[in-house]
Amino acid sequence: AQKITQTQPGMFVQEKEAVTLDCTYDTSDQSYGLFWYKQPSSGEMIFLIYQGSYDEQNATEGRYSLNFQKARKSANLVISASQLGDSAMYFCAMREVDSSYKLIFGSGTRLLVRP
Amino acid sequence: NAGVTQTPKFRVLKTGQSMTLLCAQDMNHEYMYWYRQDPGMGLRLIHYSVGEGTTAKGEVPDGYNVSRLKKQNFLLGLESAAPSQTSVYFCASSQQIFNQPQHFGDGTRLSIL
């Protein structure tokens, strides 16, 4: 079973509007972390935001925020006031508690911002 | 301010050839990882290391070997390249702190003919 599911292969958003990228996860652990990364067309992986399973508040970083719904096992990324530079692939990833600290990635969502 | 550096950035191999991808980090991170990225599949973990002299298998280890002789370096080897190993390879490193992200290199685009 997939541990991280991103159901939107591609999305469009109008410049200056907000957009939500979906991420659901599957784990039996009580303690885990969720990460979002951005991959522009140049290829590098850029860390955006982190949410811990015990964090009581939704994480925010500038124009990025997480809509974390633990009971639904979802951690959706919200980008406010979209900019042309937000056009990229976005990956959701989960870290479970084990000795490796590895990340399990979803398949990604390609976001295109229209001017 | 280098972070994680991958060498080379691009490479074309013929089936059956061998090569080594080098990853170097200057952040004194304990943990290092090798991923491959294929279209529509996100990043999949090949091998990882939790410290100098240690390595372990990830999700897709077959056909690859790794070594971590020095803390700052993590090498990924392909002994006999196959077309199925055509991919973009990413190296990452992280601190031993749960809420800290992995830091990625810029990737190596490898084509095997």
Side-chain angles (χ1 to χ4, degrees):
Chain A
Q2 279 200 332
K3 292 215 168 189
I4 296 287
T5 303
Q6 295 182 253
T7 57
Q8 307 152 312
M11 289 189 70
F12 290 97
V13 65
Q14 204 67 30
E15 192 178 9
K16 299 181 184 178
E17 291 185 348
V19 62
T20 298
L21 307 183
D22 294 343
C23 173
T24 59
Y25 58 91
D26 180 26
T27 181
S28 56
D29 289 355
Q30 294 302 307
S31 180
Y32 51 88
L34 296 155
F35 298 78
W36 276 90
Y37 282 83
K38 172 184 178 181
Q39 186 179 42
S41 58
S42 50
E44 69 270 30
M45 296 287 288
I46 302 167
F47 166 69
L48 296 177
I49 195 166
Y50 168 82
Q51 178 81 46
S53 60
Y54 290 117
D55 293 343
E56 294 188 350
Q57 294 197 343
N58 287 340
T60 61
E61 287 286 350
R63 292 187 299 112
Y64 304 109
S65 62
L66 261 176
N67 182 1
F68 181 49
Q69 298 187 44
K70 194 170 180 177
R72 294 186 178 183
K73 294 188 176 179
S74 74
N76 299 338
L77 177 70
V78 180
I79 305 174
S80 63
S82 297
Q83 301 173 356
L84 296 179
D86 294 334
S87 293
M89 281 288 290
Y90 289 83
F91 291 98
C92 178
M94 178 173 65
R95 173 178 282 160
E96 294 174 307
V97 177
D98 67 27
S99 60
S100 72
Y101 281 31
K102 66 179 181 286
L103 293 178
I104 303 165
F105 284 84
S107 56
T109 295
R110 181 172 298 281
L111 177 67
L112 288 178
V113 180
R114 289 171 165 156
Chain B
N1 200 20
V4 179
T5 303
Q6 292 184 230
T7 310
K9 297 190 186 306
F10 304 94
R11 186 73 184 267
V12 178
L13 289 178
K14 294 181 180 178
T15 298
Q17 287 185 321
S18 64
M19 81 160 296
T20 300
L21 306 184
L22 172 63
C23 177
Q25 54 97 2
D26 62 2
M27 296 173 284
N28 201 35
H29 287 170
E30 286 292 334
Y31 292 2
M32 296 187 75
Y33 309 84
W34 276 107
Y35 295 89
R36 60 177 289 172
Q37 182 179 19
D38 301 295
M41 299 187 74
L43 278 72
R44 292 182 293 166
L45 183 64
I46 305 171
H47 287 281
Y48 65 94
S49 168
V50 298
E52 181 177 315
T54 75
T55 62
K57 294 180 180 180
E59 181 188 359
V60 289
D62 293 343
Y64 305 96
N65 57 74
V66 287
S67 65
R68 183 118 181 253
L69 299 180
K70 295 183 178 181
K71 185 178 182 179
Q72 64 267 33
N73 295 336
F74 195 29
L75 278 62
L76 178 71
L78 287 74
E79 290 186 344
S80 178
S84 61
Q85 293 176 306
T86 294
S87 188
V88 180
Y89 292 85
F90 284 96
C91 176
S93 70
S94 71
Q95 296 176 289
Q96 198 177 347
I97 300 173
F98 190 77
N99 65 357
Q100 291 299 300
Q102 291 183 3
H103 299 262
F104 285 82
D106 289 341
T108 294
R109 187 172 296 274
L110 183 60
S111 295
I112 300 165
L113 307 176

